Amino acid sequence: HPPEESSSNITSSGGFTRYIIDLEEQSLTPEVFEEVEEFPQFNQFDFPTINEKYRGKEYCWVYGWVALDYARQSIIKRNVCGQGGEKRFTLENHYYGEASFVPNPEGVEEDDGVLVTIGFDGPKEQSYLMVLNATDLTPIDQAYTQHIVPFSFHGVFFGQE
């Protein structure tokens, strides 16, 4: 495998830009984020998601999916407030789908919750549901499924409100 630093990301063609829409001023302002030196692909990810409690409000954490090459995929946590703390979860020959953020109902911090995603264990040739701690991206649990779940699986978590 090529080193991560020189790997061309097959999932994205550009940098990471957030657009701020000001309805009162009727303006659109792009905010471009600098690369993270240790892992430039933090600016090149797909399937972005946030804690939905922060939709329409200021937020610092965005989560996404990165493919460095066919065999190396990562779930990432990117700080868009510029204070560091980016995280990455990856396992060689495991393939992930879009992650959904599920907030802790008693949580206080923006990143207090879990990420739920479908994974595929290449060596076992079996899909699994994986739960990651959204704060540090450490695995909490996984459950293998009886059937292979297609990579086109998408979903969103909605609480009972």
Side-chain angles (χ1 to χ4, degrees):
H1 298 289
E4 292 175 355
E5 295 78 31
S6 65
S7 178
S8 64
N9 184 341
I10 60 172
T11 67
S12 179
S13 61
F16 178 39
T17 304
R18 172 171 52 182
Y19 292 91
I20 300 165
I21 302 169
D22 187 326
L23 296 176
E24 290 179 13
E25 297 291 324
Q26 296 185 347
S27 65
L28 179 70
T29 306
E31 182 178 5
V32 179
F33 296 93
E34 298 294 322
E35 283 188 357
V36 176
E37 194 171 311
E38 311 86 65
F39 189 68
Q41 289 79 12
F42 276 120
N43 273 13
Q44 301 172 342
F45 60 89
D46 283 320
F47 307 124
T49 190
I50 63 170
N51 179 341
E52 288 297 323
K53 290 181 179 180
Y54 288 79
R55 177 75 57 200
K57 302 175 185 174
E58 288 190 30
Y59 60 89
C60 289
W61 298 111
V62 61
Y63 303 88
W65 173 88
V66 172
L68 296 173
D69 58 35
Y70 183 74
R72 290 188 298 170
Q73 297 181 3
S74 298
I75 301 293
I76 61 104
K77 176 182 181 182
R78 176 69 158 101
N79 186 340
V80 295
C81 292
Q83 301 167 356
E86 282 77 13
K87 303 287 182 192
R88 172 172 58 126
F89 176 80
T90 189
L91 288 173
E92 193 79 18
N93 296 313
H94 284 244
Y95 311 93
Y96 307 107
E98 176 180 19
S100 293
F101 185 94
V102 180
N104 177 343
E106 299 171 6
V108 176
E109 301 297 324
E110 177 186 346
D111 62 350
D112 193 359
V114 297
L115 292 174
V116 179
T117 187
I118 292 294
F120 181 78
D121 183 328
K124 286 187 176 183
E125 297 184 0
Q126 197 171 2
S127 295
Y128 57 93
L129 179 68
M130 181 170 61
V131 179
L132 296 171
N133 180 320
T135 302
D136 60 11
L137 296 191
T138 56
I140 294 173
D141 207 352
Q142 67 184 37
Y144 282 91
T145 63
Q146 293 179 343
H147 306 284
I148 293 175
V149 178
F151 288 118
S152 59
F153 171 85
H154 295 288
V156 177
F157 174 82
F158 295 100
Q160 294 181 338
E161 295 175 9

